[in-house]
Amino acid sequence: MIHEWFNREHAKPFWKMDGPKRDLELWFRTILPRDEQHSFIGYVNDVPQFSFEPYWPMRDVVGAYYNALPTDYGTHFFVAETQKEKKFSFQSFQVALDYIFMLPEVGKCIGEASVDAVPTDKIITKLGYTREGVIEMPHKTAYLTFCTREGYWDKCPESRLEAKSI
């Protein structure tokens, strides 16, 4: 399923994870046993719709592009659905951020989406991310973005209420 997702036309330019199933399997076999990155599949109405991988920037290539702190977390986020009325991109990303900011050790969530990923940029701005600059990574030119718990809760106050009830 994930292999099919990453081989969809909308995924190829940004994720660059299209190709043989064996390569994707190797990538997952590499990250799954490690502490600094995990992988989750999100469902909407009992249908798998998105994936997100929270990761620790201090052990990721992006950590070399800013003063990474041990309390920083990042997330790679991908929506597989392409039909607008079924995407729920904003709400799905909220699920990822609700999870990340539920962890008390998290200070801020960082992002490094490609500058060409305009829809992602629009969503993360609505979620409270701020641009800190442009970084030239080996595989892409990206906006370095930060989102604090308070910044997220200002934009999505219902998430603050959810966090209080947990």
Side-chain angles (χ1 to χ4, degrees):
M1 173 186 74
I2 293 173
H3 180 260
E4 189 270 325
W5 285 2
F6 285 122
N7 278 275
R8 291 182 179 176
E9 289 307 311
H10 76 285
K12 290 178 184 183
F14 304 110
W15 286 87
K16 298 179 174 83
M17 292 177 74
D18 54 314
K21 192 181 291 186
R22 182 91 174 115
D23 292 351
L24 188 61
E25 180 184 346
L26 180 61
W27 184 78
F28 276 104
R29 286 181 184 272
T30 302
I31 70 161
L32 291 178
R34 297 170 22 195
D35 298 11
E36 63 270 6
Q37 188 165 353
H38 305 284
S39 185
F40 297 96
I41 300 294
Y43 286 70
V44 175
N45 299 324
D46 295 323
V47 177
Q49 296 279 4
F50 64 95
S51 69
F52 72 99
E53 285 87 30
Y55 66 93
W56 198 27
M58 292 206 52
R59 291 198 180 161
D60 187 85
V61 67
V62 73
Y65 291 89
Y66 77 104
N67 291 328
L69 300 172
T71 56
D72 292 349
Y73 275 60
T75 186
H76 296 130
F77 180 78
F78 175 71
V79 175
E81 183 58 58
T82 56
Q83 295 180 48
K84 188 175 183 172
E85 67 278 0
K86 294 182 178 180
K87 283 178 83 164
F88 302 105
S89 301
F90 183 84
Q91 297 87 345
S92 299
F93 210 126
Q94 275 188 284
V95 169
L97 288 177
D98 285 349
Y99 170 79
I100 288 171
F101 286 128
M102 181 181 68
L103 303 170
E105 66 270 21
V106 174
K108 68 179 174 285
C109 188
I110 70 107
E112 30 82 21
S114 168
V115 296
D116 298 323
V118 176
T120 300
D121 191 54
K122 288 179 181 178
I123 290 171
I124 66 174
T125 300
K126 290 178 184 175
L127 289 166
Y129 281 81
T130 58
R131 281 192 197 161
E132 301 299 316
V134 175
I135 55 176
E136 292 290 336
M137 300 176 78
H139 57 292
K140 66 182 173 183
T141 301
Y143 290 121
L144 178 64
T145 56
F146 295 162
C147 185
T148 64
R149 186 178 276 105
E150 288 300 320
Y152 173 56
W153 286 345
D154 284 347
K155 295 283 188 169
C156 301
E158 67 279 8
S159 290
R160 177 190 300 260
L161 297 174
E162 277 294 315
K164 285 182 179 181
S165 68
I166 295 176

